[in-house]
Amino acid sequence: MAHFGPDLLLGYEHRPCIKLGTQHLDDPADAIAEAYQRVCVDLRTLTEVGLYGYHEVPPPDRLWIWAKDLDQARKDLPIKH
C-alpha cells in the first residue's frame, strides 16, 4: 500500500466500480445490491465495516465475507459490528 497510496483498490474491489460504471442502470439500487455482495471486516480489530466501509481499512487487513454468509461468520468469529 505504501507504494500505491491509500486510494488503492484491489481487483475484486475495483470490480463493482467497473460493473456500475459501464452499464445502463435501469434500477441503480438493484445494480448496487448485485455489485456489493461482500462485507468487509477489519482484521486488526475484527470490526465489521460493512459493504461500503472497506476503503477505511488497509488492503492487507481486509477480510471479505459474502453477505449471505455473514450470520454464520458472526457465530464462528468474534466479529464486532
Side-chain angles (χ1 to χ4, degrees), residues 8-9 12 15 17 21 25 40 51-52 60 66 69 72 74:
L8 172 69
L9 286 178
Y12 56 86
R15 177 182 169 270
C17 299
L25 301 179
C40 182
L51 296 171
Y52 313 112
W66 290 104
D69 298 327
Q72 185 62 47
R74 288 177 179 151

Side-chain angles (χ1 to χ4, degrees), residues 3-14:
H3 180 74
F4 295 102
D7 294 331
L8 172 69
L9 286 178
L10 302 177
Y12 56 86
E13 297 165 340
H14 189 249

Side-chain angles (χ1 to χ4, degrees), residues 1-53:
M1 186 162 116
H3 180 74
F4 295 102
D7 294 331
L8 172 69
L9 286 178
L10 302 177
Y12 56 86
E13 297 165 340
H14 189 249
R15 177 182 169 270
C17 299
I18 296 297
K19 203 170 181 181
L20 292 172
T22 60
Q23 55 181 273
H24 178 68
L25 301 179
D26 292 326
D27 187 342
D30 279 348
I32 289 171
E34 183 176 331
Y36 289 91
Q37 297 178 12
R38 289 180 283 182
V39 175
C40 182
V41 173
D42 185 337
L43 287 173
R44 300 169 297 178
T45 60
L46 285 177
T47 301
E48 183 182 320
V49 297
L51 296 171
Y52 313 112

Side-chain angles (χ1 to χ4, degrees), residues 56-76:
E56 298 173 3
V57 181
D61 297 319
R62 297 173 187 163
L63 172 65
W64 291 98
I65 301 171
W66 290 104
K68 66 180 183 61
D69 298 327
L70 191 55
D71 289 336
Q72 185 62 47
R74 288 177 179 151
K75 293 175 187 173
D76 295 340

